Amino acid sequence: MRVNPPEHATSNCKLDSFFRPFAKRLHENHMSRLGIASTMRLAYSYNRLKFGRQDDWRRALYQTQLSTLLEENGGLSRPPVEMRDGWALDTTMSLPHLDRILEDSEKIIAERSGERRSSTGTYRSYFQDVWTPADLEKHPSFLDFATSSDVLSAVSHYLQSIPALSTTLPSGIRFVESNAVFDDQPEKPHDSQLYHIDYYSLPNVYILVLLRDTTIEHGPWTFLPRGVSQKARRALNYWNRQRGYRVSDEDIYSVVDRKEVIEFCYPRGTVLFIESSGCFHYGSRNSIKPRFQLMIGYTGACRTDFTEAILPHKVYPVADADSRLRKMVLNKNMLE
Ligand SMILES: [Fe+2]
């Protein structure tokens, strides 16, 4: 039996209602009013007020009960994935439910790809999320993968907490087609085609799954490892008020050797675990062949942005029979 349906809910917290207008202003233009670092600190303090209990509980469970929670959730099926320097690549095709995801993906691609959706504005026109809330139940393989013990073990260790699927930005699950044909400004990189570091949550972990073979012509997700990224962040004074959210290649490569760049060009079914809040990255640049990628976004309970005060919250389906761990991942507000 379902406890909650996959629909949107708006936060009715009184604190949010009062604070929402300020939060919106602070968030405008990628937190430019106070600068990203200061806004993140403020948002973290605000979110501690709202989610401090959940955060403490998730961290304590990680410390004391992770192996039991993983076991109750089906246990590990293979050697663990370990993220180092902000990332891990898995080319083994052995993660649970990956084969089901790839099969379901072909149906979604056949049904929805190749057409620019009218709801997409000019912002990131080259990048379309074709996922719908109904897919959560129509294609359970995606949530089964996202909540499998093998995947959650890696993410939990990185977060040092029990993770939650993001309910605002980034969407917890995105099924993305990147296509240069949709791009309103194909002549030069813009928006997320430029280097940036995500500010949603510290840390924020993405799992990216290639749904088709991906080469340079598909506009691969491209990143710098964490150590190099953090050096560049300090050198460029990035996240300070004087700097914009997006950084030009020229600026990045004035402080980073191009040899450090990693392009996520691999066969279908390859999985990348990455801390997008620690690693400079960009993607979907000049996707002259359409790129199909699954993007799963996890955060801790206490984020560093105000999106939970501003945006409607996604609600993921939870069943009574689900394990404790799965319930916690799908329901960020859960408490003992
Ligand atoms: Fe990003």
Side-chain angles (χ1 to χ4, degrees):
M1 198 189 86
R2 297 287 164 189
V3 175
N4 50 20
E7 58 189 22
H8 290 81
T10 311
S11 163
N12 54 10
C13 166
K14 275 190 188 150
L15 191 61
D16 283 349
S17 310
F18 173 75
F19 196 68
R20 193 167 294 126
F22 303 104
K24 279 185 180 167
R25 290 183 67 195
L26 292 173
H27 240 280
E28 268 168 10
N29 195 17
H30 298 295
M31 303 181 170
S32 62
R33 191 170 299 265
L34 301 181
I36 293 173
S38 305
T39 310
M40 287 172 77
R41 275 194 294 273
L42 199 60
Y44 182 78
S45 305
Y46 179 77
N47 289 324
R48 272 295 302 181
L49 286 176
K50 283 169 59 190
F51 300 108
R53 277 171 66 210
Q54 284 90 337
D55 194 27
D56 293 345
W57 182 56
R58 283 173 183 263
R59 287 179 186 281
L61 278 185
Y62 167 74
Q63 292 293 342
T64 58
Q65 290 190 44
L66 182 65
S67 49
T68 312
L69 289 167
L70 291 170
E71 208 50 49
E72 285 172 10
N73 188 51
L76 300 178
S77 68
R78 38 154 284 161
V81 173
E82 275 176 53
M83 293 173 66
R84 291 206 185 98
D85 205 10
W87 64 289
L89 186 70
D90 189 84
T91 57
T92 65
M93 296 286 292
S94 65
L95 284 166
H97 311 291
L98 184 56
D99 48 347
R100 291 171 59 211
I101 281 188
L102 295 176
E103 208 182 304
D104 289 342
S105 294
E106 286 304 314
K107 293 177 205 156
I108 295 177
I109 291 170
E111 203 178 277
R112 303 174 205 169
S113 69
E115 253 178 62
R116 180 163 170 180
R117 302 190 159 226
S118 53
S119 57
T120 311
T122 51
Y123 178 69
R124 284 217 295 202
S125 58
Y126 50 82
F127 178 96
Q128 295 193 159
D129 180 11
V130 302
W131 184 259
T132 70
D135 292 325
L136 291 168
E137 307 229 41
K138 192 174 170 196
H139 301 296
S141 56
F142 291 89
L143 278 192
D144 290 346
F145 175 82
T147 60
S148 66
S149 286
D150 294 281
V151 160
L152 291 178
S153 168
V155 181
S156 299
H157 284 305
Y158 201 82
L159 262 57
Q160 302 272 294
S161 182
I162 305 299
L165 260 193
S166 174
T167 62
T168 53
L169 295 179
S171 288
I173 296 196
R174 285 180 290 175
F175 190 112
V176 174
E177 176 180 5
S178 302
N179 195 330
V181 170
F182 306 150
D183 200 337
D184 284 335
Q185 302 169 56
E187 58 291 340
K188 66 175 182 140
H190 55 105
D191 303 335
S192 62
Q193 294 170 333
L194 289 169
Y195 274 112
H196 62 281
I197 300 179
D198 295 346
Y199 48 65
Y200 313 113
S201 188
L202 277 181
N204 177 97
V205 171
Y206 273 146
I207 293 186
L208 309 181
V209 182
L210 295 180
L211 303 172
R212 290 272 179 89
D213 293 352
T214 299
T215 66
I216 195 70
E217 291 176 296
H218 295 83
W221 217 80
T222 301
F223 69 99
L224 298 167
R226 192 175 200 285
V228 174
S229 294
Q230 292 304 309
K231 259 191 222 163
R233 185 170 72 81
R234 287 189 290 274
L236 296 171
N237 229 359
Y238 183 62
W239 274 359
N240 279 23
R241 197 169 162 211
Q242 297 75 16
R243 267 237 169 235
Y245 180 45
R246 312 293 187 185
V247 185
S248 68
D249 282 14
E250 199 186 359
D251 283 354
I252 287 284
Y253 298 128
S254 69
V255 292
V256 170
D257 188 333
R258 279 182 189 260
K259 289 205 294 271
E260 302 285 355
V261 174
I262 301 172
E263 288 160 339
F264 189 33
C265 290
Y266 284 89
R268 174 174 181 256
T270 307
V271 182
L272 177 67
F273 294 67
I274 178 117
E275 190 211 333
S276 65
S277 58
C279 302
F280 268 110
H281 60 277
Y282 71 79
S284 308
R285 211 185 261 193
N286 201 20
S287 302
I288 52 174
K289 291 182 176 170
R291 190 196 78 184
F292 295 98
Q293 185 170 273
L294 177 67
M295 306 179 76
I296 306 173
Y298 302 88
T299 70
C302 194
R303 301 172 56 116
T304 50
D305 69 4
F306 290 111
T307 56
E308 288 172 324
I310 299 173
L311 298 172
H313 298 185
K314 293 202 162 60
V315 179
Y316 302 108
V318 179
D320 288 342
D322 286 347
S323 72
R324 282 193 294 162
L325 183 59
R326 179 169 167 134
K327 282 177 180 160
M328 289 182 76
V329 172
L330 298 180
N331 178 5
K332 181 177 176 283
N333 295 322
M334 190 169 153
L335 270 173
E336 211 158 6

